[in-house]
Each structure stands twice: as C-alpha cells, then as structure tokens.
Amino acid sequence: MSLARTWSVGLVGLSGGVVEVEVDLSAGLPGMAIVGLADTSVRESRDRVRAAVLNSGLDWPNRKITIGLSPATLPKHGSGYDLSLAVGLLAASDQVPCGAAEKFLFLGELGLDGRVRAIRGVLPAVIAAVKEGHQHVVVAQENGAEAQLVGDADVWVADTLADVVGFLCGDREGQRPVRVDAPAPPETPDLIDVVGQSAGRLALEIAAAGGHHLLLTGPPGAGKTMLAERLPGILPPLTDEEALQVTAVHSLAGELPRGSPLIRRAPFESPHHTATMPALVGGGSPLARPGAISRAHRGVLFLDEAPEFGRGVLDSLRQPLEKGVVSLHRAAGVSTYPCRCQLILAANPCPCAPATGDADCGCTSLARRRYADRLSGPLLDRVDLHVGLPAVSRRALLDSSDPREGSAQVGVRVAEARAAAAARLSQWGRRLNSEVPGVVLRESLRLPRQALTSAEMALDRGLLSVRGFDRVLRVAWTLADLAGAARPGSAEIDAAVGLRLRRIG
Ligand SMILES: [Zn+2]
C-alpha cells in the first residue's frame, strides 16, 4: 500500500482538533513534502523523522513522499507530529500494518536516535482527541501519567520508535503508563508563621472567602510577601474540573511534575517587576503561550513591588481580570486561555522604602504620592481590599506567646463562607461574591437603605466610584458569610468601606 493515514492533534491555545495525517508514496524524485498549514517547526520534522527511522533500523522509502495534514485550516506547530509522521510513513511503506496505524493517535517528538520524547500540552491534546472519538493514544513514556488524567483515554506509552513499530506489528507487548511515586509536593507556607499583622491576616481571610483582589501597602519587612504566599494555603483544593483545567494550562507551559501531574492546589505565580507584557498576559509566536496570569488561573497572581511594574504592563491586566479569559491574536490563530485568578498587589510606601519604617525616610509626601500613583486608578478600582501593614515591632517578633491561628483553622472558615456564598449565588450561576454582577447586587440582593449609609456617604463625597460602591457591597457580603449572617448589616458595610479606603503612604 502506498497510501496510509494516522492521527495527531493540533492545539490552538487550550482547544485543539484532531489532525488527520495522510502519507502518500509515489514514483518521482525522492523527497518529502508536507502540505496543510504546517509551519517551519513542523517542516523541520522531516530531518528528525528520517534520522529516527534510519537509526531505528527501519527502511526509508526512496520515493516521492507527500504528507497531508488536515483540516488545512487548523494551524499546526511544533515537534509533536514527529511520531505520527513516522508511523504514517512506515505504514505507507508496508513496515507497519495500515489498520494498526489508523487505529491510534500519536503525540510525541522523535530524537535523531529514534527515542520518543515528551511534548508540551499532552493533556489538552488528549482531551481534544477523546472529545472527537479518538480514545487510543500513544505518547512518550514521560507524558503517560499526564495523558491518563483524561478518564476515557486508552493510553499507551513508548520509549522508542522501534517500540511503537513492534507494538503496532504485534511483535511486542504494548506498555502502559508507569505510576511514578512523585516526591511529596512542597509544603505550602502556613499562616502560623506570620507574626502580628492582624489586619493583614483578616484581609487575607476575606480575600480567600470572597475571591477578592487585595492591595497590601507597608514598609519592607512588614510581611507582605509572607502573607501573599499563604493565600493558596487557605483556599479550598481545586475541584476535579478546575484541577484538569489548571493542569492543562501548566501542561502547555511545560512545567508539570512527572508521575503525579495533576495540580490540586491553587497555583501561586509571582512574576518579577521587570516582567514584560507577554510574560504576564501571554505571548510569543507563531501561537501565543499562556502568561503568568493564566498560570495563576484558579489561584493567586502576586505582584510584589507593584508600582515598579511598567504602567502598560499593569494596565494590560485590567481586561483579562475582568473577563476571566485572555485572547491572544497572532497571524497563525487566536489562542484563548482562562485567567480567573486573585490578584495581590504589594507596594512600599515610598520609592526608597527604608527597612526601618517611616522615621528615617527622607521622602517628601509628594514623592510618596507620586510613587503610589504609579498604580493606575482603573486597576486599583478593581481591587476590593486595600490594607496598610505597619512595620512589625521588635516586641511582637520576640513575643511568641501571642496565640496565632494556622492555615488549616482559617481554611475551615473560608470553606464555610464560600459554601454559603455558593448556595446563595447558584441561581445566577456564580460561586464567589467577587463574581456577582453589579445589577444582581443592586437589585436582587438589594440591602435596606439604612445599612448603606456609610457607603452612600462615601459615594456622595467622591471617595468611592460607582464601581467602587459595588465592590464595597461584594466585600460586605463576604463579611456576612464569614460571620454566618444571612445578609450584611451596617457593621459589615462600614467595615467594607474601611477596607476599601484605607491606604498608607
Ligand atoms: Zn522614602
């Protein structure tokens, strides 16, 4: 037979489609052509596939080889097609039964020596394959555990191209993914380590319960980073669906641990303040990769020294934060990634940021104002909680007797408050107070006038924008959920107004 076909997957962002790989051998000048919107990285496969076939002791057909990848409309990129191209070619030249080649879908890069190498994005690729009815997949040994996360997939793994050929010809037994006992995940930092900072701890608990964004201001050493790092530890573990989605994003970023790849805990991303816009929201070519904001999906995006980030970089976060997804347009296609994360911004009170606190600082109030203003109003307007942290006094540091709660205790209250919110909001298809549309807040969840006095005063005096007013209501509902109350009263509204307007510096 001189025509064979097999299958692979093309990914654009997190969504993908099955790609049919057709290989035709014909009389003519020996050579190999790949057609069907394959970019240069796929055309480079030619040399790898040839070397892998020859170095595996197989024959390279000395004929005109035409490889068609369809649908032609789906952009194809990367080295993940190597294995399917090789198998298709071997089937077309009668070295592998065509029926067997056609039954499986192949995802893997080939080394020149014929090894099958792991690729990025196996999880979303297998999800796409199963969705289109291709359950039987062959992947690299290292990608096995990841592919197997997809419930309905029938996963086979291979170390070398020769293994795959032996398996398809029935000469060798197929291999199933090996369960590797992964090292225990690193301990998440515990709130018990945080000394003092009762306001900061409370703000963190509110942020966790309602999914609110948070701004922490305070001198270096006050514990801003310490607090931020402890937010994932008090968030509930990811649901099955969330875990799969978060793992798929990290699979594309190529940073999953081998063996037990499923991410169960809310991720934490803290890009440096020199990060570029593509690093933060996603970018690259020919198809854009997920940025820090998407790797923080269902978790925490922490921007330390936030005023030091480029203005444009910070502003680029606004729309994705609002929408929960980011779409990156490239000539080759539009990649869409989820980015429903909680933002924590940390800022020093002034550019010189003395470790000693305010006393010895020579910065004028104007310099401080300017520094604070580097965080743009529209971005801050989306941050529900603004909390000033004082410097930790030496006495508090030395006094270890003050009773402190650990993450587990706080996590229980967070989970209860989230459950209360989810029960109330399910009729609007929401789970967190931070996600409730303004119109629902102001109409269906309308509060009695007398409870709103302080918020309305702040609105009248121009201290709150209309958007800010809605955010006060959202935080007040979270405070009520944490207190086990049916609805917020004036105490919760007052506290929420305070949490939004309090700023240091
Ligand atoms: Zn200063």
Side-chain angles (χ1 to χ4, degrees), residues 123 126-127 129-137 146-156 176 244:
L123 177 59
V126 175
I127 290 175
V130 169
K131 205 184 273 173
E132 292 189 38
H134 290 261
Q135 280 94 349
H136 312 289
V137 297
E146 185 185 333
Q148 217 161 27
L149 293 176
V150 186
D152 297 331
D154 168 45
V155 181
W156 299 89
R176 293 295 191 177
L244 213 55

Side-chain angles (χ1 to χ4, degrees), residues 350 352-354 361 363:
C350 68
C352 75
C361 170
C363 292

Side-chain angles (χ1 to χ4, degrees), residues 38-88:
D39 75 0
T40 39
S41 66
V42 179
R43 288 198 292 268
E44 279 170 5
S45 296
R46 242 182 322 209
D47 301 324
R48 275 196 305 275
V49 170
R50 185 165 196 272
V53 165
L54 291 173
N55 289 329
S56 302
L58 299 154
D59 294 328
W60 184 260
N62 231 351
R63 301 171 67 183
K64 184 181 171 198
I65 305 165
T66 310
I67 296 183
L69 302 176
S70 55
T73 46
L74 187 71
K76 296 154 199 88
H77 166 70
S79 52
Y81 297 97
D82 287 4
L83 188 56
S84 59
L85 300 187
V87 169

Side-chain angles (χ1 to χ4, degrees), residues 171-451:
D171 303 337
R172 279 187 215 181
E173 224 167 281
Q175 297 178 65
R176 293 295 191 177
V178 185
R179 281 231 157 271
V180 183
D181 278 328
E187 288 280 305
T188 19
D190 198 289
L191 262 183
I192 202 123
D193 310 328
V194 177
V195 177
Q197 300 304 11
S198 53
R201 295 172 72 106
L202 180 63
L204 206 65
E205 183 172 335
I206 300 167
H212 305 287
H213 302 319
L214 169 65
L215 166 67
L216 297 170
T217 321
K224 303 185 291 287
T225 304
M226 242 185 139
L227 278 168
E229 285 171 347
R230 281 155 181 79
L231 180 54
I234 58 173
L235 291 172
L238 304 178
T239 64
D240 290 349
E241 194 192 340
E242 289 169 348
L244 213 55
Q245 211 179 25
V246 169
T247 308
V249 174
H250 287 255
S251 163
L252 274 178
E255 43 182 44
L256 286 182
R258 203 185 151 184
S260 65
L262 191 65
I263 298 174
R264 276 279 174 203
R265 194 184 284 154
F268 181 83
E269 290 288 327
S270 57
H272 189 254
H273 61 71
T274 53
T276 58
M277 204 184 294
L280 218 54
V281 297
S285 67
L287 288 168
R289 283 195 188 291
I293 191 171
S294 292
R295 294 198 306 275
H297 177 56
R298 296 292 172 201
V300 180
L301 178 66
F302 175 51
L303 304 185
D304 197 9
E305 305 197 25
E308 303 284 348
F309 278 79
R311 182 90 182 226
V313 174
L314 286 179
D315 281 344
S316 67
L317 294 175
R318 268 163 44 194
Q319 208 191 19
L321 283 176
E322 202 80 348
K323 286 186 167 173
V325 290
V326 50
S327 295
L328 302 154
H329 295 252
R330 294 291 179 275
V334 183
S335 312
T336 303
Y337 298 109
C339 61
R340 213 162 271 296
C341 64
Q342 271 182 267
L343 181 67
I344 301 189
L345 302 169
N348 291 317
C350 68
C352 75
T356 47
D358 298 349
D360 304 331
C361 170
C363 292
T364 61
S365 59
L366 181 67
R368 285 161 180 264
R369 182 81 267 155
R370 276 210 190 114
Y371 192 67
D373 283 348
R374 284 205 215 164
L375 291 175
S376 78
L379 180 66
L380 279 189
D381 215 27
R382 287 164 170 81
V383 178
D384 299 348
L385 304 165
H386 297 185
V387 176
L389 300 178
V392 181
S393 68
R394 186 172 307 208
R395 214 185 53 195
L397 256 177
L398 296 177
D399 183 11
S400 54
S401 63
D402 92 279
R404 302 199 294 262
E405 284 184 309
S407 294
Q409 275 170 290
V410 179
V412 170
R413 287 200 298 271
V414 168
E416 284 169 2
R418 281 187 166 225
R424 177 179 62 247
L425 302 174
S426 63
Q427 56 177 308
W428 296 286
R430 313 281 166 157
R431 290 189 311 175
L432 293 170
N433 288 318
S434 57
E435 296 171 352
V436 183
V439 56
V440 173
L441 275 176
R442 278 175 265 120
E443 289 171 16
S444 310
L445 293 173
R446 191 207 296 258
L447 296 174
R449 273 306 282 278
Q450 64 269 27

